Amino acid sequence: MRYISTRGGMPPKPFSEILMSGLSPDGGLAMPESYPRVNADELERWRGLSYPALAYEIISRFIDDIPAHDLRGIINQTYTVDAFGDAEITPLKTLEPGLYILGLSNGPTLAFKDIAMQFLGNLFEYTLEKTGKELNILGATSGDTGSSAEYAMRGKHSIRVFMLSPLGKMSRFQTAQMFSLQDENIFNIAVRGVFDDCQDIVKAVSNDHDFKLNHQIGTVNSINWARIVAQIVYYFKGYFAATRSNDEQVSFSVPSGNFGNICAGHVARMMGLPIKQLILATNENDVLDEFFRTGVYRPRTTTETKHTSSPSMDISKASNFERFIFDLTGRNAEKIKELWGAVDNGAAFDLTSTPLWDKVKDFGLVSGSSNHAARITTIRTIYQKYNILVDTHTADGLKVGLEHRQPDVPLICLETALPVKFAESITEAIGHEPERPAGFENLEDLPQRSVVKDADTNAIKAFIKEQTT
Ligand SMILES: *Cc1c(COP(=O)(O)O)cnc(C)c1O
């Protein structure tokens, strides 16, 4: 399996050469040259596999330049009862016949990002050990991504994490989750500013090519292809858990932001998993819903981006969306260059007057959006009806999923975080706080470790330099 760029400017490369990179040199995203197809016999065999065994079957189709024995080891080391609290890793909960929630949030930070990030941590460590290199991960976070990355990389050899977050702007729970890590390779940097200041600093440092090279700076953002690959696995796992035979179809509803999670569903479908609909749910930041309703993709400015009660979906543009459009155009890199030529300059594109718009329906993608009132009502209704408590993001997925639900097609709603992370909205919905999972009872009382810096690129660079030399 080799990888190309959505913008056509990268010679085909093996997986290990795209693992650590973010964007391709031409500004595009890495994509496999073609999707591996799963035949009926394989699908039948996979039905009975444990999560790690299934993960190996799927991941090894995309990562074929790590020896089989080593790759199996990395996967077995990642998907353990110890890390995910359940031998199923992603257990399926039945609300009623034909309606399910796929539990993706039982990892160490209680959000679905752990499923890919825990794998990435072990994969990075393995690769760095082989090459004798070091990696300094620089990131900006307003919550989930940062903690997920830190819990995946803590204690890993040859890796340090420098995570910027806006001082005093994260919830107490999220702050405690990150800042209570005492591992010496984790650096929490609270920046006097807002999230966008943090993100600007990461961009500025990444654009300083000398600094980046001299200090082995890397990122773990959602465009990393290995993260997408790891997420494909639970679409198969969820499908097998909700069906009895492989001639059945299911639909998935996916709370979406950067289009990473649902992109994995799209790939699973392209591989041959019988998915009827991929239902994309947004919150008030409805840039993706707008596209699937109107054919117009118009990224928002940061001032247009709203702060919502499902904050991990507060995005202005969807970084993985280019991957889907690449497939929609029949993998036409020239067309992607043209479309993203506009997008990268803050402009919109409109597919309605092109033959492409008609093709969208062939990919099974439909969409809808949610808002605070609908979210709270959904949390309350699901709790009253099924005695199951969902978080705000999962509620958006359920709300939109139910609107698109078809008779006789099982609907699997992806759970992307646990309610305990968003206690305020839960209390608003059901009148009391969510229960804390074991081990999180005194999180906010644990000693915390962080440094405070001005929103100044040079100050951050100086800090990184101090810690790495
Ligand atoms: C990251 C995140 C999402 C959005 O996922 P994408 O892959 O960016 O579409 C949804 N819910 C939660 C809780 C998240 O952390």
Side-chain angles (χ1 to χ4, degrees):
M1 175 67 72
R2 294 185 307 169
Y3 289 86
I4 53 174
S5 162
T6 50
R7 301 196 192 173
M10 180 176 83
K13 288 184 175 178
F15 174 80
S16 54
E17 284 181 38
I18 60 144
L19 167 62
M20 302 274 176
S21 59
L23 289 175
S24 298
D26 63 354
L29 307 185
M31 285 287 262
E33 270 186 315
S34 64
Y35 294 119
R37 290 282 306 180
V38 179
N39 65 37
D41 288 346
E42 284 168 324
L43 206 57
E44 198 46 48
R45 196 165 53 77
W46 289 7
R47 180 169 277 278
L49 296 182
S50 68
Y51 194 99
L54 178 63
Y56 175 77
E57 292 297 334
I58 294 167
I59 294 172
S60 61
R61 310 279 155 127
F62 293 95
I63 304 180
D64 56 6
D65 54 350
I66 293 179
H69 174 267
D70 293 359
L71 184 61
R72 222 183 257 281
I74 295 167
I75 290 169
N76 290 342
Q77 173 195 1
T78 303
Y79 298 109
T80 63
V81 180
D82 203 35
F84 290 92
D86 192 314
E88 292 293 306
I89 307 300
T90 59
L92 189 78
K93 283 177 255 187
T94 305
L95 304 192
E96 63 184 41
L99 181 62
Y100 309 93
I101 290 179
L102 188 62
L104 305 180
S105 309
N106 303 313
T109 75
L110 312 180
F112 87 103
K113 290 196 172 70
D114 289 335
I115 293 187
M117 208 71 93
Q118 290 283 315
F119 174 64
L120 208 62
N122 291 327
L123 194 58
F124 275 9
E125 184 175 54
Y126 169 87
T127 312
L128 292 166
E129 259 166 29
K130 288 262 153 192
T131 55
K133 288 185 181 157
E134 289 194 4
L135 176 65
N136 293 305
I137 293 170
L138 175 64
T141 190
S142 53
D144 285 342
T145 314
S147 57
S148 184
E150 291 188 354
Y151 280 76
M153 307 298 164
R154 63 187 293 200
K156 296 269 180 262
H157 297 294
S158 316
I159 303 178
R160 295 184 196 85
V161 178
F162 296 89
M163 193 55 68
L164 312 183
S165 60
L167 176 65
K169 301 279 193 314
M170 290 192 297
S171 75
R172 276 191 75 215
F173 186 92
Q174 285 176 319
T175 307
Q177 231 182 1
M178 288 176 52
F179 291 13
S180 64
L181 287 180
Q182 301 297 328
D183 306 77
E184 280 181 7
N185 68 330
I186 303 294
F187 299 93
N188 286 300
I189 307 174
V191 173
R192 292 189 188 94
V194 293
F195 173 66
D196 290 320
D197 297 320
C198 300
Q199 212 163 23
D200 287 346
I201 294 172
V202 172
K203 275 188 205 147
V205 175
S206 300
N207 287 335
D208 181 341
H209 293 286
D210 287 340
F211 187 87
K212 199 176 161 186
L213 210 66
N214 291 336
H215 297 276
Q216 295 89 26
I217 302 292
T219 54
V220 287
N221 47 26
S222 75
I223 58 171
N224 185 290
W225 176 253
R227 283 179 63 181
I228 307 277
V229 170
Q231 295 178 153
I232 297 170
V233 179
Y234 53 71
Y235 283 87
F236 280 84
K237 188 80 177 127
Y239 172 79
F240 293 135
T243 59
R244 310 193 78 147
S245 94
N246 296 339
D247 51 16
E248 293 176 57
Q249 284 194 310
V250 303
S251 294
F252 286 94
S253 96
V254 189
S256 293
N258 274 318
F259 205 84
N261 197 352
I262 201 162
C263 183
H266 161 70
V267 177
R269 194 171 176 279
M270 300 297 275
M271 290 171 72
L273 188 68
I275 297 176
K276 181 95 187 270
Q277 289 188 308
L278 284 167
I279 304 165
L280 180 149
T282 71
N283 64 16
E284 291 90 331
N285 297 292
D286 60 354
V287 47
L288 285 169
D289 175 42
E290 184 175 270
F291 172 78
F292 286 102
R293 275 188 298 105
T294 68
V296 176
Y297 181 61
R298 185 182 67 84
R300 313 297 199 243
T301 61
T302 38
T303 45
E304 272 179 297
T305 308
K306 300 178 182 111
H307 292 283
T308 75
S309 47
S310 45
S312 300
M313 289 152 61
D314 292 349
I315 51 115
S316 52
K317 57 181 187 329
S319 39
N320 280 293
F321 187 51
E322 184 172 334
R323 289 194 158 112
F324 173 73
I325 298 294
F326 184 59
D327 284 342
L328 181 71
T329 62
R331 308 197 132 207
N332 181 340
E334 285 310 311
K335 186 74 189 170
I336 296 297
K337 270 198 278 188
E338 175 198 320
L339 295 174
W340 261 266
V343 168
D344 288 344
N345 287 315
F349 65 72
D350 180 355
L351 298 187
T352 40
S353 55
T354 74
L356 291 174
W357 180 230
D358 216 33
K359 285 214 182 109
V360 171
K361 64 175 184 312
D362 299 342
F363 290 85
L365 262 143
V366 295
S367 75
S369 70
S370 182
N371 57 41
H372 184 74
R375 189 171 301 136
I376 296 298
T377 306
T378 305
I379 294 171
R380 184 183 304 129
T381 314
I382 297 291
Y383 187 62
Q384 287 170 347
K385 209 166 161 192
Y386 305 109
N387 199 27
I388 284 179
L389 193 55
V390 296
D391 93 294
T392 49
H393 306 78
T394 309
D396 288 342
L398 272 156
K399 185 251 179 200
V400 175
L402 289 169
E403 285 168 0
H404 286 280
R405 189 180 181 190
Q406 296 168 322
D408 305 322
V409 182
L411 174 63
I412 302 174
C413 299
L414 300 190
E415 170 206 71
T416 56
L418 290 194
V420 65
K421 300 192 88 169
F422 305 96
E424 208 175 303
S425 299
I426 300 300
T427 306
E428 186 181 341
I430 63 164
H432 61 83
E433 285 213 1
E435 250 180 61
R436 292 217 166 185
F440 288 86
E441 295 87 353
N442 305 314
L443 184 67
E444 288 93 330
D445 302 330
L446 298 175
Q448 298 192 358
R449 190 168 155 265
S450 69
V451 296
V452 178
K453 297 279 169 195
D454 284 330
D456 167 15
T457 303
N458 287 326
I460 303 301
K461 280 186 185 166
F463 181 73
I464 294 174
K465 218 165 157 178
E466 232 171 81
Q467 305 302 328
T468 55
T469 45

